Amino acid sequence: MKIFVLILFATLLSLRQSHELEGGHKEHNELITFTPGHFKILSFPPFASRATAPAAANPRPQRQDHELQENEEELAIEILHRSSRRNGDPHHHDPLHDIHAAMERDEARLRWIHHRIQSSDHRHRRGRSLLQTAQVSSGLSLGSGEYFARMGIGSPQRSYYLELDTGSDVTWIQCAPCSSCYSQVDPIYDPSNSSSYRRVYCGSALCQALDYSACQGMGCSYRVVYGDSSASSGDLGIESFYLGPNSSTAMRNIAFGCGHSNSGLFRGEAGLLGMGGGTLSFFSQIAASIGPAFSYCLVDRYSQLQSRSSPLIFGRTAIPFAARFTPLLKNPRIDTFYYAILTGISVGGTALPIPPAQFALTGNGTGGAILDSGTSVTRVVPAAYAVLRDAYRAASRNLPPAPGVYLLDTCFNFQGLPTVQIPSLVLHFDNDVDMVLPGGNILIPVDRSGTFCLAFAPSSMPISVIGNVQQQTFRIGFDLQRSLIAIAPREC
């Protein structure tokens, strides 16, 4: 009997380990089956709802042991990718234009992240009157694979699309009266119509928390400028935000930028939802009341088999039971960005000879690997990228090659092929957490003729950034209280 129990236990343990997609530098399959026809460059009507697409296999992540009570509302917002809400973009039928534009915005965002890290020690040093020179990182025009959330704002509440950005702290929306505003889908927010709006005073702690600010009378003013000269400026205010349209869950007294002058390459959104780790981010402001954790699952923008939206979850229900945990690091120079300890990469079941030090965050704030919602393809430092590229090409020597596209230099021609076997790719993180990438997170379509490219590129800055293509279909959670990143597969 004891022998039988031991055999049964060993069998169950083996089955569990064989089905885990995270956890440990285990042996992984050398090849995975990839179906090119499931991944296409799609065009959707503006703001398409999730109901128009097939439902995901797991529409909600598994919860921890503390389930919501019957009458308790889930603290979640639906998020969707920008490709599901084209807004009169004249280039949206031109895949090559989209790829080039995406890579250019990725490059600009990468440089801006690095600039912000390097200049973070100079906060406020030039005085509080230099409003014109204020700058802050965002994915509005510098990120290429942006995702959006639908939120209620004001009293009475009205619904707006805001861009989700884990690389920014300041939340802002366009406000009436507009001295200069770009076109947006929803009506412009008017603070005079909201009973819960009020201006932030210039000497307040909130005003002091801005990287740069200025005083106009007794009120605090802000201006944020992006790398392509897009900008937003106006008043720093306080308002009620609701987690979703027509939601009864109000987050009151949220500091945000009420932008009266806004310009740049925006696509109909009302503004930005700052989800970085800084003091003024939306998440930081609500963490004390709902719990210091949030998670998101970014739907696959190219897949025809998945829903086009998924929940951004806050508080104690945010971390799924299936998640594995790796340490969350903060840069000593700036608290906005979320750093993971990337220890290595495997291709085709073989660990690449890349020293972990190439991905390490140093004590002076240089290097490291950032998880970012506003960058599309993953950027790794050049020496590591060269090893990754060469290994993937060698493992793919039996696949038909195709010319590179912009920075994507490892491409294949799958035209007419129903399925192909492609090399697996795994990102290894500290604490033996493995992020085993599905095929759609490894290769992305760049045209409508069957050309797919490796969704990795060399970094032009001394930092690595794990982009949203690689994060697709994983639920990524940030537990700030325990300084942990949660990673769970197939949790959209």
Side-chain angles (χ1 to χ4, degrees):
M1 182 64 179
K2 290 182 179 179
I3 295 176
F4 172 77
V5 172
L6 289 173
I7 293 175
L8 178 61
F9 176 77
T11 301
L12 291 173
L13 181 60
S14 175
L15 286 172
R16 178 183 177 183
Q17 291 175 340
S18 68
H19 283 84
E20 283 183 332
L21 290 184
E22 265 80 31
H25 287 203
K26 304 178 294 296
E27 291 186 4
H28 297 286
N29 294 332
E30 295 183 12
L31 299 173
I32 59 177
T33 300
F34 183 68
T35 306
H38 289 172
F39 301 92
K40 294 183 178 180
I41 295 175
L42 305 174
S43 296
F44 301 114
F47 299 103
S49 70
R50 65 180 299 175
T52 62
N58 294 302
R60 284 292 187 271
Q62 300 179 47
R63 303 298 182 210
Q64 294 188 11
D65 54 0
H66 38 253
E67 292 286 339
L68 291 171
Q69 299 300 316
E70 183 177 353
N71 60 349
E72 185 178 0
E73 182 178 8
E74 180 180 70
L75 299 180
I77 311 171
E78 291 298 307
I79 54 176
L80 61 156
H81 183 253
R82 74 184 299 171
S83 63
S84 68
R85 40 160 302 279
R86 300 289 186 180
N87 189 37
D89 184 351
H91 299 290
H92 84 271
H93 291 299
D94 184 353
L96 285 179
H97 175 275
D98 286 349
I99 293 298
H100 279 266
M103 295 299 98
E104 289 173 357
R105 289 192 299 265
D106 267 9
E107 179 63 23
R109 183 175 175 89
L110 179 66
R111 291 180 179 275
W112 201 242
I113 288 174
H114 181 254
H115 171 78
R116 188 163 184 223
I117 293 169
Q118 294 302 307
S119 63
S120 59
D121 286 346
H122 304 292
R123 180 178 296 185
H124 295 304
R125 288 186 182 179
R126 288 178 288 172
R128 306 182 62 77
S129 62
L130 300 182
L131 194 59
Q132 305 87 292
T133 63
Q135 298 172 335
V136 68
S137 172
S138 173
L140 276 170
S141 54
L142 303 185
S144 53
E146 301 96 331
Y147 288 79
F148 296 84
R150 187 76 166 160
M151 299 188 70
I153 301 174
S155 302
Q157 66 167 296
R158 303 183 188 278
S159 297
Y160 300 92
Y161 280 101
L162 301 180
E163 183 185 341
L164 169 70
D165 191 355
T166 60
S168 289
D169 293 327
V170 177
T171 294
W172 63 267
I173 60 173
Q174 295 199 111
C175 286
C178 280
S179 60
S180 174
C181 286
Y182 59 86
S183 176
Q184 68 177 53
V185 172
D186 300 304
I188 299 292
Y189 165 83
D190 188 341
S192 66
N193 292 334
S194 174
S195 62
S196 51
Y197 173 83
R198 67 178 186 272
R199 186 91 180 266
V200 171
Y201 288 109
C202 190
S204 69
L206 290 172
C207 191
Q208 296 289 331
L210 289 165
D211 283 357
Y212 293 89
S213 61
C215 296
Q216 292 186 350
M218 295 297 292
C220 179
S221 297
Y222 80 98
R223 179 176 171 86
V224 290
V225 180
Y226 305 96
D228 64 350
S229 297
S230 297
S232 174
S233 63
D235 305 323
L236 187 67
I238 293 290
E239 184 55 285
S240 294
F241 281 64
Y242 294 81
L243 301 185
N246 303 315
S247 169
S248 61
T249 305
M251 299 293 145
R252 307 190 189 282
N253 300 319
I254 300 297
F256 77 110
C258 190
H260 299 293
S261 177
N262 315 281
S263 61
L265 304 177
F266 306 112
R267 291 195 176 188
E269 59 270 33
L272 178 142
L273 182 66
M275 291 293 292
T279 303
L280 281 180
S281 80
F282 179 78
F283 171 67
S284 295
Q285 292 187 66
I286 68 175
S289 60
I290 67 170
F294 75 94
S295 70
Y296 57 78
C297 189
L298 305 178
V299 295
D300 191 329
R301 74 201 69 180
Y302 300 117
S303 176
Q304 302 182 89
L305 304 178
Q306 293 187 354
S307 168
R308 292 198 293 273
S309 70
S310 65
L312 165 66
I313 305 174
F314 299 91
R316 62 183 182 82
T317 64
I319 308 302
F321 178 77
R324 298 296 299 266
F325 296 92
T326 188
L328 168 64
L329 301 183
K330 285 300 185 74
N331 192 314
R333 298 171 66 104
I334 185 170
D335 52 11
T336 299
F337 305 110
Y338 301 109
Y339 286 81
I341 304 176
L342 182 62
T343 59
I345 303 174
S346 291
V347 168
T350 300
L352 302 183
I354 302 174
Q358 293 194 17
F359 303 121
L361 176 63
T362 66
N364 63 4
T366 61
I370 296 171
L371 280 163
D372 183 42
S373 69
T375 298
S376 59
V377 305
T378 289
R379 298 295 193 99
V380 293
V381 291
Y385 177 75
V387 176
L388 168 60
R389 176 200 60 207
D390 293 347
Y392 207 86
R393 287 177 176 176
S396 307
R397 57 186 174 273
N398 294 327
L399 297 177
V405 177
Y406 198 55
L407 293 177
L408 304 180
D409 59 9
T410 301
C411 301
F412 308 94
N413 180 8
F414 294 153
Q415 186 173 22
L417 299 177
T419 61
V420 292
Q421 297 292 307
I422 66 171
S424 62
L425 200 154
V426 182
L427 301 179
H428 302 293
F429 296 94
D430 193 42
N431 202 29
D432 291 332
V433 173
D434 292 351
M435 196 170 181
V436 184
L437 300 183
N441 298 32
I442 301 173
L443 302 179
I444 57 173
V446 297
D447 60 26
R448 292 190 175 91
S449 301
T451 303
F452 286 75
C453 295
L454 180 67
F456 287 76
S459 175
S460 60
M461 298 287 110
I463 53 175
S464 297
V465 180
I466 301 167
N468 56 46
V469 168
Q470 282 62 48
Q471 296 179 53
Q472 290 175 159
T473 74
F474 289 86
R475 181 152 291 276
I476 307 295
F478 301 95
D479 186 333
L480 272 63
Q481 185 174 47
R482 297 188 293 168
S483 296
L484 293 173
I485 298 171
I487 301 176
R490 299 192 305 269
E491 288 289 346
C492 284

